[in-house]
Amino acid sequence: MSKRIFVTATNTNIGKTYASKLLIQAFSALGLRVGVYKPIETGVTDFPSDGKELFETASLYNPALQSLSLNDIVPLQFALPSAPFVANGGRNIDLSTFDTPLEKIEALCDIVIIEGAGGLMVPIDGESMMIDLPRYFNAATLLVTHCNLGCINDTLLSTKTLEDASIPFIIGFNCRAEDHSFETTSLPYLNHRFKSIYRIDNEIDTIAKALLDTISS
């Protein structure tokens, strides 16, 4: 079995795919063959856009992945841009259906980046939430959070959820150009609360190594 990294976020549109693509580059630079997997994508029209971005980026660094199809990378696709529970009409989703596609990907890589949908408490079906995926896959987790006002609350809620579930994780802050107030309104407390503050845009190599250390520990 390859090493597994689950990428989640404090909400939707926070930067999971952006962070995952940077991780592909960072792990590849460390000499690892990287695979990607997005078990569920909603809001799909012609094709799963997030999964396609991941697949195309990973294939550049690991050409062996080109033997797979986009449907291998994103096995469950739904048209409605909503939580999977809603997009799938409340029907049950057996998590074991994710095993075979993942096995195909893992046969071609040393490490696989598994991207979730939305945040940790997004319902997959009536029984499972998105947080159940890193537990099911036995994956270390990268929590992607934002840098605008409110990031303290959002980050603490998600880290508390991960801690309560005993899931090992690293936090990455996705600071955007418009996040002018982060240094003055949020960073002072975050520096007080956390041992390390990693920014995805310029510390992705450090994040990648920290995730590998988390897996090894």
Side-chain angles (χ1 to χ4, degrees):
M1 184 180 75
S2 68
K3 296 178 174 65
R4 297 172 177 178
I5 304 294
F6 186 79
V7 178
T8 189
T10 52
N11 209 320
T12 190
N13 294 323
I14 299 296
K16 291 189 300 296
T17 301
Y18 171 69
S20 295
K21 289 166 65 177
L22 291 180
L23 278 180
I24 293 168
Q25 299 173 32
F27 286 132
S28 297
L30 293 173
L32 297 170
R33 298 174 304 152
V34 184
V36 290
Y37 191 37
K38 188 168 178 77
I40 308 172
E41 184 165 341
T42 64
V44 176
T45 51
D46 297 327
F47 56 85
S49 57
D50 289 347
K52 186 172 185 288
E53 278 192 60
L54 294 175
F55 190 26
E56 289 178 346
T57 302
S59 295
L60 291 174
Y61 294 90
N62 183 5
L65 295 175
Q66 295 173 12
S67 65
L68 303 176
S69 71
L70 186 53
N71 289 335
D72 292 321
I73 305 301
V74 191
L76 284 188
Q77 304 173 22
F78 302 107
L80 187 67
S82 67
F85 175 93
V86 178
N88 194 35
R91 291 182 288 273
N92 182 62
I93 295 175
D94 186 347
L95 298 187
S96 68
T97 61
F98 300 134
D99 293 347
T100 297
L102 181 55
E103 288 170 4
K104 293 174 66 175
I105 296 165
E106 287 191 314
L108 304 170
C109 63
D110 304 308
I111 188 166
V112 59
I113 297 167
I114 305 170
E115 185 183 302
L120 291 165
M121 301 309 292
V122 167
I124 294 173
D125 58 18
E127 301 295 328
S128 300
M129 312 293 281
M130 202 57 59
I131 193 172
D132 293 308
L133 291 186
R135 288 190 288 206
Y136 181 78
F137 292 128
N138 191 27
T141 294
L142 172 62
L143 173 66
V144 181
T145 187
H146 61 90
C147 296
N148 55 17
L149 194 62
C151 68
I152 293 174
N153 179 72
D154 292 347
T155 302
L156 292 182
L157 284 173
S158 289
T159 56
K160 178 70 162 57
T161 301
L162 288 165
E163 289 167 352
D164 288 349
S166 299
I167 295 173
F169 66 93
I170 298 294
I171 307 169
F173 285 81
N174 184 27
C175 295
R176 293 165 171 157
E178 63 270 22
D179 297 327
H180 304 296
S181 68
F182 178 69
E183 303 282 345
T184 54
T185 61
S186 301
L187 188 58
Y189 176 77
L190 294 168
N191 280 329
H192 166 76
R193 175 65 174 78
F194 298 108
K195 181 179 179 180
S196 300
I197 299 295
Y198 299 128
R199 303 199 192 194
I200 287 169
D201 56 351
N202 57 17
E203 293 180 284
I204 195 65
D205 293 336
T206 303
I207 291 171
K209 291 174 182 176
L211 286 166
L212 290 176
D213 289 342
T214 299
I215 293 172
S216 301
S217 62

